[in-house]
Amino acid sequence: MTGYRVPFFAPDLFEADRAVLLRLVREIGIAPEQRFILGEHTARLERLLRAELGCADVIACGSGTSALTLILHAMDIGPGDEVVVPAFGCAPLAETVVNLGATPVFADIRPHTMVVDPDEAGRLVTHRTKAIVPAHMFSVMADMPRLREVARAHGVRLIEDSAVAQGGVLAGRPAGTWGDAGLFSFVQVKTFGMPGEGGVVVTGDPGLGRTVRMLRNHGQDGVNRFLHHRIGYNSRFDEIQAAFQLHRFPGLAARLDRRAEIAAYYTGRFTPLAERGVVPPPPGREGRCYYVYCLLAERRDELAAHVGEQGIQTHVYYRRPLPHQPPFAPFAPPGARWPHAEHACDRILALPIHPNLTDEQVTGVADAVCEFAMPRAAAAR
């Protein structure tokens, strides 16, 4: 991140909390109970999030990927089963399915919002389908009301990958609570990130929650140590990180507001650029999360080079649809296409939106993009 006047990820993300983090490391490290995983801090974090989300259970675990694995396993998804996932997204959407012996079935996305198309997902359901896994992407939540209808109509489970969307709200319902289960990721750059790996499973089903709670800790029930009820995983949450998250939670709303404020400014500046091949995400805060802010640009690589020359770091998520990547290509039907996912991969460009950006930096990013799309107007200003 050095060398950029506007880094994509904030290098000082936890600087204001450095003293607190060091204090927690010492306090937990020398505490008499010597409990470093799944202790009272983790339990308090789970209770806090459960109350905030209004759900039956929240289970802290090792990562967002691990959370999805635990959910799929708890639902007994395995060999012979199919799971519908977006063709455009991160590898764990399909990887977790494959690692359990099931088959990922790739659905195309909506062209502007880049989230899975519910009707396309429904069209792909067969007698082997056990679940649909929509994923919220970057700035926009998936169409969860429609996806609920599709899942119920077909009698399949709905798993909400809200790894990037903590704090998002759609139709008055928080991200993570729309399906049979949801998940968040706490890796440092997410909206509720921390200095390390971690995540949670969110569910309104107490029975599913109990199963996930056992699976995360080698199949133990959390009461009788070394008594194992089923084959599980090592996906336990760190006590130092839990205490740190409890400390940072009161500031989450303000950080989310700052992200939304930056996004609103960007979208206001970029909306007139659509006719010039630079398309911002839809405006507003309904169903938004603003983990990152992504444009669709016809000359994406040229735009990235232009803003990069001005010291602005960008990222591309993702350069290939999942079914076009070698590990997942064997699961793609011969000759199948995902035109909207392919279109997004050719055009998507993410701009900095982290809450530590200054107003000057935000204006500089917007100016650089506008200068690229409208060089004559910029020169006349």
Side-chain angles (χ1 to χ4, degrees):
M1 285 181 285
T2 58
Y4 287 98
R5 66 181 178 89
V6 187
F8 189 81
F9 296 125
D12 57 346
L13 195 59
F14 305 110
E15 187 62 32
D17 303 299
R18 177 194 292 265
V20 172
L21 181 57
L22 293 175
R23 173 176 59 79
L24 291 172
V25 170
R26 176 173 175 78
E27 288 179 358
I28 294 171
I30 66 174
E33 59 270 24
Q34 290 291 282
R35 187 72 179 263
F36 302 117
I37 54 171
L38 300 184
E40 181 54 31
H41 296 294
T42 300
R44 283 177 54 209
L45 179 62
E46 291 173 337
R47 290 194 297 268
L48 170 64
L49 296 178
R50 190 162 58 240
E52 287 288 326
L53 296 167
C55 59
D57 207 357
V58 171
I59 305 97
C61 58
S63 68
T65 300
S66 181
L68 183 53
T69 299
L70 295 172
I71 294 168
L72 292 166
H73 191 150
M75 291 179 176
D76 294 321
I77 291 172
D81 298 329
E82 294 177 348
V83 179
V84 178
V85 302
F88 180 71
C90 62
L93 285 164
E95 185 179 56
T96 53
V97 175
V98 173
N99 281 338
L100 288 171
T103 299
V105 177
F106 298 103
D108 208 356
I109 58 173
R110 288 178 169 172
H112 187 193
T113 58
M114 295 179 280
V115 292
V116 70
D117 185 325
D119 296 327
E120 175 73 0
R123 187 184 67 79
L124 294 170
V125 172
T126 72
H127 68 281
R128 296 175 57 193
T129 305
K130 287 292 185 70
I132 298 173
V133 185
H136 307 315
M137 298 298 291
F138 316 124
S139 304
V140 182
M141 289 177 61
D143 186 350
M144 297 310 299
R146 177 65 184 135
L147 284 157
R148 287 185 86 177
E149 292 175 0
V150 170
R152 287 173 175 171
H154 290 282
V156 299
R157 298 288 197 121
L158 182 61
I159 304 170
E160 183 183 356
D161 186 339
S162 44
V164 306
Q166 185 158 1
V169 177
L170 177 62
R173 182 187 289 267
T177 65
W178 280 90
D180 296 280
L183 62 99
F184 297 123
S185 168
F186 296 157
V187 73
Q188 69 268 23
V189 295
K190 299 298 198 305
T191 54
F192 190 38
M194 63 190 195
E197 286 271 16
V200 294
V201 171
V202 177
T203 184
D205 181 343
L208 183 68
R210 285 192 294 272
T211 300
V212 169
R213 200 169 286 278
M214 282 193 289
L215 288 173
R216 73 169 173 183
N217 190 18
H218 302 295
Q220 299 172 93
D221 58 16
V223 177
N224 302 295
R225 195 176 182 195
F226 303 128
L227 178 60
H228 304 270
H229 299 274
R230 56 189 301 161
I231 301 295
Y233 302 85
N234 178 359
S235 183
R236 301 172 294 193
F237 205 83
D238 182 273
E239 279 289 275
I240 294 170
Q241 300 284 15
F244 191 62
Q245 291 297 79
L246 287 165
H247 161 73
R248 280 176 54 83
F249 186 80
L252 175 60
R255 295 193 296 273
L256 292 172
D257 283 343
R258 177 58 176 163
R259 288 177 180 270
E261 181 182 70
I262 296 169
Y265 178 78
Y266 281 164
T267 300
R269 293 286 306 274
F270 301 152
T271 295
L273 307 182
E275 294 181 356
R276 295 175 176 269
V278 177
V279 180
R285 295 192 65 169
E286 172 71 1
R288 300 294 184 267
C289 40
Y290 298 120
Y291 156 55
V292 293
Y293 185 95
C294 288
L295 300 170
L296 289 169
E298 290 179 3
R299 295 184 291 147
R300 187 263 313 283
D301 294 341
E302 292 177 51
L303 174 57
H306 174 82
V307 300
E309 289 170 359
Q310 300 186 43
I312 299 164
Q313 189 176 24
T314 59
H315 275 230
V316 174
Y317 303 87
Y318 301 91
R319 290 187 180 273
R320 283 189 185 180
L322 288 174
H324 289 341
Q325 302 204 34
F328 308 118
F331 302 98
R337 295 289 304 276
W338 296 267
H340 297 317
E342 294 163 8
H343 180 274
C345 289
D346 288 341
R347 290 165 175 78
I348 191 167
L349 184 69
L351 303 177
I353 195 175
H354 59 80
N356 288 21
L357 291 172
T358 66
D359 288 349
E360 182 182 11
Q361 287 175 314
V362 172
T363 301
V365 172
D367 286 348
V369 173
C370 291
E371 287 165 6
F372 175 81
M374 299 191 298
R376 292 179 183 175
R381 200 171 54 225

